[in-house]
Amino acid sequence: MKRKLRGFKRSDVQLDFDLYRVSVPIPGVAGQELSVIDIWPEGVERTIVFVHGYAGCAETWEHQINYFSKEYRVIAPDLRGHGQSDAPYTRYTMEELVADLNAVATYLKLPQQFVLAGHSFGGSICVEYAVAYPGRLERLVLIATAGEYPLPKTANLIARLPSSLLRPVWDYRPRWNAEPHVMKRMAVNNVMQWQGWAIMRRISMPTLVITGERDNYFPRYVYEDVGKMIPNAHVVDVGASKHKVQLERHRAVNRTIERFVEEDERRTSWRDESIPRGPLDERPWLKFYGPEVPSTVPIPRQPLHRFLESTAESLPRETATMFFGASLTYRELDQRANQFAQALHSLGMRPGDRVMILLPNLPELVVATYGTLKVGGTVVFPNGDASATELVEMMRESEAGLLVTLRQFDQLAVAAQQEGGVHQVVLVDMLSTEPAGVTAGVMAHWITARPDLCSGVDTVPAGAWLMHLLLHDQPEVFTSRDVDPEGLAVILYTGGTTGTPKGVRLSHANLVANAVQARHWIPQLQYGKEVFLAAAPLMHSYGMTLAMNLPIAVGGTMVLLPVFELDEVLHHIWTYKPTVFPALPAMVAAISEASNVRSYGLSAIKFCLCGAAPLPVEVQETFEKLTQGQLIETYGLTEACSLTHAEPSGGLRKSGSVGVPLPNTDAMVVDLWSGAPTAPGQVGELRVKGPQVMAGYLDREQSERVLKDGWLHTRDVAVMDADGFFRIIGRRHEIIVVGDQLVFPRDVEEVLYENSKVREAAVVGVSGPDGRQKVKAFVVPRPGADLTAEELLDLCRHRLDSYAVPAEIELREAVPKSALGNVQRRELGEGAG
């Protein structure tokens, strides 16, 4: 269990350190581990290791970690018994602590040489390491480090008291980040005995000694003589600071360290702090990032399910999921995921095996997803609109060996076993295990609306397991497999609106990267404080990343809704006061049009992340006026975990754009025919590159067509302006060719939306009697609106070039849509000759 940090008040931390924690086995102590912050940005080669002092923790280096992690790999371990590391009952001698430091360097495969920095007694450990392993250190930095630590007699007496007597004192002095037995043993067996004067004379690498002018923890000579003992030491006294100089004067300390490790005394003046730093500053859009958004985000090198385990340790009692009044805490959610992982193991599942999950937004979906990942398996999310025949084909193609779905989908379960190659079936009985508040609308959508999946007979197919019975009596603790962060985590099928759905292979690294990118894009999110309205399907990449993985990464509550039913959504907003709403444009439009919508407390929503389909400008402005929050339009693809671009949070916004690329993401627009990069303002195909871009499709040939040199060819038509803001115009195949002119459907749709009587608009190209293409618009009027096609045509003639004016406008009650609310243009085009 993680211990609460004591005496440590986090300031403006840009990086969420818990996302970067890894575990390193403690040498010679079975089952005990060190907790180590390991931040490794893209493109960096050098490494700095920061070692905290006696009774401290890694977070005492918060300012240095945030500053140097832009250009260095940064390692910050919690010493054994300190912070979040385990506290074995060993002697805590210098030999043990040096061995721990060497274990970190070995286990994390640090480069042959690295920079080592230590504070206070942590510096003493660094001195011993420097002498024991001189070939490993490039440079040594000692901050407020003494040559010895002469404690007063009272401290000597206290250190020799039994640990049980020290416990009340420890609780009364909350600044200590070590257990009483740790402080006692380390003091008696190490700190009080250590004499470093002779050892310091043997240091052979360049060394920087930083002291605080007012540091009176110990007699001044124990600090001042350190620089005299170390050969050729560079000594800097930082004025107006005491013992914790790296916290009290962090900017001065950072400048001093940087000048030293860069071997350039002329670098890093006070003026440099306002200059963007990092290896990727050539990206033009960086200057428009929000004030606290880093230009590049280090990606944790760990599997996705570690986020759940970390949050369960940090926030065990916080609510993880809320489903119609029934809640699970993070401890309970992690325990259920452990039980599911153990159940899969008992069913014979092995690392690499694949589990297809076809469920609405239920707690069981989250449990099954993270449980599968814990056991080393791969989750398969099918296209939610697929027929039974298509689902069976996806099972065969993805080689899914186990299916998790609703009990009512018994007909699908039988077909999966007989035709899909599935060996095991786990059924979720939503009616008997979930709250009675599940609405008839939910059941209608997921059961009666899918007759091809249901037999209508209330029986459990032979060989199938009911999930609640399968988990019964399973252990709540499961030792996660050693899962490769680069390994396959999810196979997610595309929507198929432009053709046959394709299986997208997403690694743990892809999913972790996109969750971290999203988390840092909105630095205002508070760990353990946010409530997410999870109405977007979690089986889709957008919902998976923003309504499941992101909330877990920030310790937020997921308010789960199986389907978007307007009255139920408004009721949940009123009841649970969500602060973050990952939404689809159709959801935003429906809420904006609801009667008496202001009475439902929409002002609780601070951020609405809207993506997965184009968002009309008029809809965005209306929603922001209603909520007084910020609607952040996003862009992404299933092939990139869902997010590549977003409007800056707290920065410059441009109406109609999807914003700028996220940290670590490159993007460019190329000519539609030649593939050459275009100048700003010119229309072309969007290409993106970043850590969130998929490993590829299941079909190798399809992968080779869209992935080249790391660049994903999106097939989306876009334009980038001189500031690096992107506007998505549409899909390449949707371009309408009228004579020798190109018409982009969204250009016409945005004009149609200017009429307040228009609820929805969709524009397609259809063939005329002469075989040539013409523009046709399908418009859904607002309820009760007196709208005519002629007034819309008049608007288009006034606002559009003549070749882009629709040849016909058809008024309809509805347009065909996917489960995500995307307009099925192909169906409109096929039915409109």
Side-chain angles (χ1 to χ4, degrees):
M1 177 67 65
K2 290 184 181 179
R3 288 188 294 276
K4 183 178 179 181
L5 300 180
R6 294 172 173 268
F8 177 76
K9 183 178 180 181
R10 182 167 296 184
S11 60
D12 295 328
V13 178
Q14 290 185 346
L15 297 175
D16 189 344
F17 296 155
D18 281 338
L19 299 184
Y20 301 91
R21 287 191 176 275
V22 296
S23 297
V24 174
I26 296 179
V29 186
Q32 301 289 284
E33 295 178 322
L34 300 172
S35 177
V36 183
I37 297 172
D38 182 2
I39 301 177
W40 197 345
E42 58 175 337
V44 304
E45 297 179 354
R46 300 178 71 188
T47 298
I48 299 182
V49 178
F50 292 103
V51 181
H52 66 79
Y54 176 68
C57 61
E59 279 84 352
T60 58
W61 294 102
E62 59 161 322
H63 299 293
Q64 288 68 44
I65 293 172
N66 278 305
Y67 186 82
F68 286 99
S69 63
K70 298 170 184 176
E71 294 185 346
Y72 295 82
R73 182 184 180 186
V74 172
I75 307 292
D78 281 330
L79 298 175
R80 71 167 68 186
H82 292 68
Q84 297 180 18
S85 290
D86 290 329
Y89 282 82
T90 60
R91 299 186 66 232
Y92 290 84
T93 62
M94 182 61 78
E95 290 77 10
E96 290 177 341
L97 299 180
V98 170
D100 288 351
L101 188 54
N102 191 51
V104 169
T106 303
Y107 189 84
L108 297 183
K109 300 179 181 179
L110 300 193
Q112 181 58 42
Q113 286 198 321
F114 54 90
V115 178
L116 182 61
H119 172 252
S120 190
F121 192 72
S124 301
I125 300 171
C126 293
V127 166
E128 294 272 1
Y129 186 88
V131 173
Y133 301 95
R136 295 304 308 269
L137 296 190
E138 175 186 340
R139 288 176 173 257
L140 177 65
V141 178
L142 304 177
I143 302 177
T145 298
E148 60 180 293
Y149 298 88
L151 296 174
K153 292 182 179 180
T154 54
N156 277 274
L157 292 174
I158 292 174
R160 299 180 187 282
L161 293 174
S163 298
S164 59
L165 296 179
L166 294 177
R167 171 63 67 175
V169 179
W170 184 86
D171 290 334
Y172 179 71
R173 298 286 288 180
R175 64 183 179 181
W176 294 328
N177 285 285
E179 296 289 342
H181 74 274
V182 174
M183 295 182 63
K184 169 183 165 61
R185 296 178 184 210
M186 191 166 170
V188 173
N189 299 329
N190 201 343
V191 179
M192 294 165 56
Q193 297 182 10
W194 194 71
Q195 291 285 325
W197 305 116
I199 301 172
M200 289 178 177
R201 294 180 184 275
R202 296 163 55 192
I203 293 177
S204 58
M205 67 285 304
T207 303
L208 169 67
V209 177
I210 300 177
T211 62
E213 180 186 29
R214 301 176 183 176
D215 188 351
N216 295 313
Y217 258 37
F218 300 100
R220 286 295 301 171
Y221 79 88
V222 300
Y223 303 116
E224 295 172 348
D225 288 354
V226 169
K228 301 174 184 177
M229 294 295 120
I230 300 175
N232 302 313
H234 182 74
V235 180
V236 175
D237 191 301
V238 178
S241 61
K242 295 183 179 180
H243 190 63
K244 294 183 178 179
V245 57
Q246 82 278 22
L247 289 172
E248 298 162 7
R249 293 291 312 280
H250 59 87
R251 290 186 177 87
V253 169
N254 290 348
R255 290 194 297 268
T256 302
I257 294 175
E258 186 168 27
R259 284 194 294 263
F260 175 71
V261 299
E262 293 293 342
E263 301 183 88
D264 189 349
E265 292 294 333
R266 296 167 298 177
R267 276 198 61 181
T268 322
S269 73
W270 61 272
R271 297 189 303 272
D272 295 326
E273 296 204 21
S274 62
I275 299 175
R277 311 189 62 80
L280 307 171
D281 294 329
E282 68 275 7
R283 295 168 177 167
W285 46 80
L286 293 182
K287 59 182 174 289
F288 298 106
Y289 275 14
E292 296 181 6
V293 177
S295 60
T296 177
V297 175
I299 308 302
R301 303 192 178 203
Q302 55 183 318
L304 180 66
H305 54 269
R306 292 287 170 79
F307 286 179
L308 174 58
E309 294 168 349
S310 175
T311 304
E313 290 180 343
S314 298
L315 304 171
R317 297 180 181 178
E318 294 296 324
T319 302
T321 64
M322 180 66 69
F323 186 75
F324 289 92
S327 64
L328 289 176
T329 65
Y330 268 102
R331 175 187 287 139
E332 292 168 337
L333 179 62
D334 188 51
Q335 288 172 343
R336 292 200 185 184
N338 287 337
Q339 288 179 307
F340 191 79
Q342 186 63 54
L344 292 181
H345 181 71
S346 65
L347 291 175
M349 183 174 173
R350 296 297 177 261
D353 288 352
R354 298 171 180 182
V355 175
M356 176 176 281
I357 302 174
L358 176 62
L359 290 173
N361 290 3
L362 303 175
E364 286 81 0
L365 183 147
V366 185
V367 168
T369 297
Y370 278 81
T372 299
L373 298 179
K374 281 172 176 276
V375 80
T378 299
V379 174
V380 180
F381 284 134
N383 177 0
D385 292 325
S387 66
T389 301
E390 291 170 330
L391 289 169
V392 169
E393 176 57 32
M394 292 177 192
M395 295 173 198
R396 287 197 296 261
E397 183 185 49
S398 65
E399 299 179 345
L402 188 144
L403 170 67
V404 182
T405 191
L406 293 175
R407 173 179 177 174
Q408 290 73 19
F409 289 173
D410 56 343
Q411 192 161 301
L412 175 65
V414 172
Q417 293 175 306
Q418 294 179 351
E419 306 169 33
V422 168
H423 309 299
Q424 303 279 356
V425 175
V426 176
L427 301 176
V428 175
D429 191 351
M430 188 165 64
L431 290 177
S432 65
T433 63
E434 301 302 340
V438 177
T439 66
V442 172
M443 305 308 298
H445 179 84
W446 276 95
I447 299 175
T448 60
R450 303 300 302 272
D452 59 329
L453 308 183
C454 311
S455 69
V457 179
D458 188 19
T459 59
V460 177
W465 297 85
L466 289 176
M467 186 170 178
H468 65 283
L469 297 179
L470 179 64
L471 300 190
H472 186 64
D473 285 340
Q474 294 286 358
E476 294 180 345
V477 177
F478 179 80
T479 302
S480 299
R481 300 295 177 83
D482 188 11
V483 178
D484 181 6
E486 299 294 331
L488 185 62
V490 171
I491 297 171
L492 205 153
Y493 277 86
T494 60
T497 57
T498 61
T500 303
K502 295 181 285 291
V504 175
R505 295 186 295 118
L506 300 173
S507 67
H508 285 271
N510 292 149
L511 298 170
V512 167
N514 214 211
V516 171
Q517 288 169 318
R519 187 263 178 274
H520 287 290
W521 193 248
I522 312 177
Q524 298 92 332
L525 296 182
Q526 295 180 295
Y527 189 67
K529 302 294 185 181
E530 308 297 343
V531 178
F532 288 71
L533 183 60
L538 301 184
M539 293 196 305
H540 183 267
S541 63
Y542 191 78
M544 175 188 66
T545 293
L546 294 179
M548 180 169 65
N549 295 342
L550 176 60
I552 290 174
V554 301
T557 297
M558 294 169 274
V559 178
L560 299 171
L561 280 169
V563 295
F564 184 86
E565 199 284 319
L566 182 58
D567 290 340
E568 200 65 66
V569 168
L570 294 175
H571 172 72
H572 276 66
I573 291 174
W574 171 255
T575 304
Y576 299 109
K577 304 294 187 294
T579 58
V580 185
F581 182 23
L584 309 175
M587 297 178 179
V588 172
I591 292 174
S592 299
E593 296 171 5
S595 59
N596 300 321
V597 67
R598 293 182 186 274
S599 64
Y600 288 95
L602 265 65
S603 59
I605 299 175
K606 297 185 296 184
F607 298 100
C608 175
L609 300 160
C610 189
L615 175 69
V617 175
E618 296 289 336
V619 174
Q620 178 179 16
E621 293 176 353
T622 301
F623 189 82
E624 286 191 325
K625 185 176 181 180
L626 289 171
T627 63
Q628 299 301 310
Q630 184 175 355
L631 192 155
I632 300 174
E633 185 170 5
T634 67
Y635 167 82
L637 313 90
T638 302
E639 290 86 346
C641 297
S642 82
L643 283 187
T644 61
H645 295 64
E647 291 184 297
S649 170
L652 175 67
R653 303 173 67 191
K654 296 191 178 185
S655 179
S657 84
V658 294
V660 298
L662 300 181
N664 306 51
T665 305
D666 285 302
M668 63 178 174
V669 175
V670 302
D671 185 83
L672 291 170
W673 289 274
S674 70
T678 62
Q682 292 185 348
V683 174
E685 180 191 358
L686 174 64
R687 295 181 182 176
V688 296
K689 185 178 185 179
Q692 71 272 49
V693 170
M694 67 175 179
Y697 294 120
L698 288 175
D699 187 306
R700 184 185 298 270
E701 292 184 3
Q702 290 178 333
S703 300
E704 292 174 351
R705 285 197 291 269
V706 301
L707 278 178
K708 296 179 181 179
D709 298 324
W711 287 94
L712 173 64
H713 297 207
T714 68
R715 309 290 292 176
D716 280 330
V717 180
V719 61
M720 182 188 79
D721 67 18
D723 294 328
F725 281 72
F726 288 75
R727 284 178 170 82
I728 305 301
I729 298 173
R731 298 289 289 172
R732 183 168 179 168
H733 70 277
E734 294 171 354
I735 297 175
I736 306 167
V737 182
V738 179
D740 59 354
Q741 300 289 340
L742 301 181
V743 178
F744 301 101
R746 186 173 180 182
D747 290 345
V748 182
E749 291 165 358
E750 289 289 354
V751 170
L752 294 170
Y753 276 112
E754 291 177 9
N755 187 312
S756 61
K757 301 176 188 177
V758 173
R759 182 175 186 176
E760 290 182 280
V763 172
V764 300
V766 298
S767 297
D770 57 359
R772 296 182 180 180
Q773 275 198 312
K774 61 180 182 179
V775 179
K776 182 171 182 178
F778 298 85
V779 173
V780 179
R782 292 183 183 275
D786 181 17
L787 181 65
T788 66
E790 189 57 36
E791 68 179 285
L792 293 175
L793 285 170
D794 285 342
L795 174 62
C796 292
R797 293 185 190 109
H798 179 69
R799 295 278 286 108
L800 297 169
D801 292 320
S802 58
Y803 61 83
V805 175
E808 181 184 356
I809 295 181
E810 180 180 325
L811 301 182
R812 285 190 168 196
E813 293 184 0
V815 291
K817 293 181 180 178
S818 68
L820 287 174
N822 293 332
V823 175
Q824 302 283 43
R825 297 180 190 273
R826 186 174 52 180
E827 291 186 27
L828 287 174
E830 290 172 353

mmCIF file of all heavy atoms in Angstrom, residues 116 201 218 238 258 282 366 401 425 433 460 568 571 643 667 711 796 825:
data_model
loop_
_atom_site.group_PDB
_atom_site.id
_atom_site.type_symbol
_atom_site.label_atom_id
_atom_site.label_comp_id
_atom_site.label_asym_id
_atom_site.label_seq_id
_atom_site.Cartn_x
_atom_site.Cartn_y
_atom_site.Cartn_z
ATOM 1 N N LEU A 116 24.702 11.869 -11.366
ATOM 2 C CA LEU A 116 24.114 11.469 -10.089
ATOM 3 C C LEU A 116 24.073 12.676 -9.164
ATOM 4 O O LEU A 116 25.087 13.361 -8.971
ATOM 5 C CB LEU A 116 24.934 10.354 -9.454
ATOM 6 C CG LEU A 116 24.433 9.784 -8.122
ATOM 7 C CD1 LEU A 116 23.044 9.162 -8.279
ATOM 8 C CD2 LEU A 116 25.412 8.748 -7.569
ATOM 9 N N ARG A 201 37.916 12.270 -0.626
ATOM 10 C CA ARG A 201 39.193 12.518 -1.284
ATOM 11 C C ARG A 201 39.397 11.577 -2.476
ATOM 12 O O ARG A 201 40.223 11.854 -3.353
ATOM 13 C CB ARG A 201 40.352 12.344 -0.295
ATOM 14 C CG ARG A 201 40.373 13.368 0.828
ATOM 15 C CD ARG A 201 41.562 13.120 1.758
ATOM 16 N NE ARG A 201 41.561 14.023 2.888
ATOM 17 C CZ ARG A 201 42.068 15.249 2.877
ATOM 18 N NH1 ARG A 201 42.612 15.713 1.765
ATOM 19 N NH2 ARG A 201 42.035 16.002 3.952
ATOM 20 N N PHE A 218 23.249 21.339 10.774
ATOM 21 C CA PHE A 218 24.439 20.841 11.464
ATOM 22 C C PHE A 218 25.457 21.979 11.477
ATOM 23 O O PHE A 218 25.265 23.009 10.816
ATOM 24 C CB PHE A 218 25.004 19.607 10.736
ATOM 25 C CG PHE A 218 24.044 18.462 10.658
ATOM 26 C CD1 PHE A 218 23.325 18.226 9.498
ATOM 27 C CD2 PHE A 218 23.851 17.623 11.743
ATOM 28 C CE1 PHE A 218 22.421 17.174 9.416
ATOM 29 C CE2 PHE A 218 22.961 16.571 11.685
ATOM 30 C CZ PHE A 218 22.238 16.347 10.525
ATOM 31 N N VAL A 238 24.309 29.024 -2.466
ATOM 32 C CA VAL A 238 23.066 29.664 -2.882
ATOM 33 C C VAL A 238 22.541 30.485 -1.719
ATOM 34 O O VAL A 238 22.206 29.946 -0.659
ATOM 35 C CB VAL A 238 22.014 28.629 -3.323
ATOM 36 C CG1 VAL A 238 20.715 29.326 -3.705
ATOM 37 C CG2 VAL A 238 22.535 27.818 -4.496
ATOM 38 N N GLU A 258 22.429 22.885 -14.341
ATOM 39 C CA GLU A 258 22.466 22.804 -15.798
ATOM 40 C C GLU A 258 23.781 23.325 -16.361
ATOM 41 O O GLU A 258 24.356 22.745 -17.279
ATOM 42 C CB GLU A 258 21.286 23.558 -16.395
ATOM 43 C CG GLU A 258 21.187 23.382 -17.901
ATOM 44 C CD GLU A 258 19.883 23.886 -18.465
ATOM 45 O OE1 GLU A 258 19.290 24.785 -17.857
ATOM 46 O OE2 GLU A 258 19.460 23.380 -19.510
ATOM 47 N N GLU A 282 10.962 23.040 -32.811
ATOM 48 C CA GLU A 282 10.708 23.508 -34.171
ATOM 49 C C GLU A 282 9.258 23.352 -34.583
ATOM 50 O O GLU A 282 8.846 23.845 -35.631
ATOM 51 C CB GLU A 282 11.605 22.752 -35.167
ATOM 52 C CG GLU A 282 11.286 21.283 -35.335
ATOM 53 C CD GLU A 282 11.947 20.391 -34.294
ATOM 54 O OE1 GLU A 282 12.553 20.943 -33.345
ATOM 55 O OE2 GLU A 282 11.867 19.160 -34.430
ATOM 56 N N VAL A 366 -15.196 -2.556 -17.806
ATOM 57 C CA VAL A 366 -13.926 -2.068 -17.273
ATOM 58 C C VAL A 366 -13.179 -3.213 -16.585
ATOM 59 O O VAL A 366 -11.967 -3.380 -16.759
ATOM 60 C CB VAL A 366 -14.162 -0.909 -16.294
ATOM 61 C CG1 VAL A 366 -12.827 -0.324 -15.825
ATOM 62 C CG2 VAL A 366 -15.010 0.182 -16.941
ATOM 63 N N GLY A 401 -10.198 -16.156 -28.438
ATOM 64 C CA GLY A 401 -10.484 -17.460 -27.859
ATOM 65 C C GLY A 401 -11.566 -17.416 -26.807
ATOM 66 O O GLY A 401 -12.054 -18.461 -26.375
ATOM 67 N N VAL A 425 -16.977 -18.769 -23.220
ATOM 68 C CA VAL A 425 -17.898 -17.643 -23.251
ATOM 69 C C VAL A 425 -18.227 -17.238 -21.817
ATOM 70 O O VAL A 425 -18.548 -18.089 -20.977
ATOM 71 C CB VAL A 425 -19.197 -17.978 -24.008
ATOM 72 C CG1 VAL A 425 -20.193 -16.814 -23.908
ATOM 73 C CG2 VAL A 425 -18.901 -18.279 -25.476
ATOM 74 N N THR A 433 -27.766 -8.570 -12.039
ATOM 75 C CA THR A 433 -26.624 -8.120 -11.251
ATOM 76 C C THR A 433 -26.521 -6.615 -11.144
ATOM 77 O O THR A 433 -25.802 -6.109 -10.305
ATOM 78 C CB THR A 433 -25.310 -8.645 -11.859
ATOM 79 O OG1 THR A 433 -25.147 -8.095 -13.177
ATOM 80 C CG2 THR A 433 -25.321 -10.154 -11.963
ATOM 81 N N VAL A 460 -28.885 -20.286 -20.345
ATOM 82 C CA VAL A 460 -27.454 -20.075 -20.501
ATOM 83 C C VAL A 460 -26.922 -21.170 -21.416
ATOM 84 O O VAL A 460 -27.089 -22.356 -21.127
ATOM 85 C CB VAL A 460 -26.732 -20.117 -19.142
ATOM 86 C CG1 VAL A 460 -25.227 -19.969 -19.336
ATOM 87 C CG2 VAL A 460 -27.265 -19.025 -18.223
ATOM 88 N N GLU A 568 -32.151 10.642 -19.549
ATOM 89 C CA GLU A 568 -31.296 9.965 -18.573
ATOM 90 C C GLU A 568 -29.972 10.708 -18.416
ATOM 91 O O GLU A 568 -29.442 10.841 -17.306
ATOM 92 C CB GLU A 568 -31.042 8.520 -19.024
ATOM 93 C CG GLU A 568 -30.592 7.597 -17.912
ATOM 94 C CD GLU A 568 -31.674 7.396 -16.853
ATOM 95 O OE1 GLU A 568 -32.720 6.799 -17.154
ATOM 96 O OE2 GLU A 568 -31.441 7.859 -15.714
ATOM 97 N N HIS A 571 -30.581 13.781 -16.328
ATOM 98 C CA HIS A 571 -30.776 13.372 -14.932
ATOM 99 C C HIS A 571 -29.428 13.060 -14.273
ATOM 100 O O HIS A 571 -29.190 13.442 -13.104
ATOM 101 C CB HIS A 571 -31.684 12.134 -14.871
ATOM 102 C CG HIS A 571 -31.786 11.536 -13.506
ATOM 103 N ND1 HIS A 571 -32.489 12.125 -12.477
ATOM 104 C CD2 HIS A 571 -31.257 10.388 -12.988
ATOM 105 C CE1 HIS A 571 -32.393 11.378 -11.383
ATOM 106 N NE2 HIS A 571 -31.654 10.320 -11.670
ATOM 107 N N LEU A 643 -6.836 10.262 -30.271
ATOM 108 C CA LEU A 643 -6.507 11.686 -30.231
ATOM 109 C C LEU A 643 -5.150 11.983 -30.864
ATOM 110 O O LEU A 643 -4.136 11.372 -30.504
ATOM 111 C CB LEU A 643 -6.464 12.194 -28.791
ATOM 112 C CG LEU A 643 -7.778 12.468 -28.067
ATOM 113 C CD1 LEU A 643 -7.488 13.110 -26.725
ATOM 114 C CD2 LEU A 643 -8.696 13.332 -28.876
ATOM 115 N N ALA A 667 2.473 16.539 -37.362
ATOM 116 C CA ALA A 667 1.409 16.503 -38.356
ATOM 117 C C ALA A 667 1.795 17.390 -39.523
ATOM 118 O O ALA A 667 2.502 18.389 -39.350
ATOM 119 C CB ALA A 667 0.080 16.962 -37.749
ATOM 120 N N TRP A 711 4.742 7.569 -40.466
ATOM 121 C CA TRP A 711 3.648 8.504 -40.735
ATOM 122 C C TRP A 711 2.381 7.742 -41.066
ATOM 123 O O TRP A 711 2.386 6.820 -41.887
ATOM 124 C CB TRP A 711 4.009 9.425 -41.904
ATOM 125 C CG TRP A 711 5.029 10.454 -41.552
ATOM 126 C CD1 TRP A 711 6.375 10.360 -41.725
ATOM 127 C CD2 TRP A 711 4.785 11.737 -40.965
ATOM 128 N NE1 TRP A 711 6.995 11.505 -41.278
ATOM 129 C CE2 TRP A 711 6.044 12.372 -40.812
ATOM 130 C CE3 TRP A 711 3.632 12.415 -40.556
ATOM 131 C CZ2 TRP A 711 6.177 13.644 -40.269
ATOM 132 C CZ3 TRP A 711 3.771 13.681 -40.012
ATOM 133 C CH2 TRP A 711 5.019 14.287 -39.874
ATOM 134 N N CYS A 796 -27.472 29.293 -49.502
ATOM 135 C CA CYS A 796 -26.291 28.727 -50.162
ATOM 136 C C CYS A 796 -25.855 29.577 -51.359
ATOM 137 O O CYS A 796 -24.651 29.784 -51.585
ATOM 138 C CB CYS A 796 -26.565 27.295 -50.616
ATOM 139 S SG CYS A 796 -26.759 26.119 -49.253
ATOM 140 N N ARG A 825 -22.768 8.444 -44.735
ATOM 141 C CA ARG A 825 -22.876 9.105 -46.043
ATOM 142 C C ARG A 825 -22.999 8.109 -47.176
ATOM 143 O O ARG A 825 -23.629 8.389 -48.189
ATOM 144 C CB ARG A 825 -21.659 10.010 -46.259
ATOM 145 C CG ARG A 825 -21.542 11.142 -45.258
ATOM 146 C CD ARG A 825 -20.308 11.980 -45.565
ATOM 147 N NE ARG A 825 -20.042 12.933 -44.491
ATOM 148 C CZ ARG A 825 -20.582 14.141 -44.411
ATOM 149 N NH1 ARG A 825 -21.408 14.549 -45.360
ATOM 150 N NH2 ARG A 825 -20.295 14.944 -43.414
#
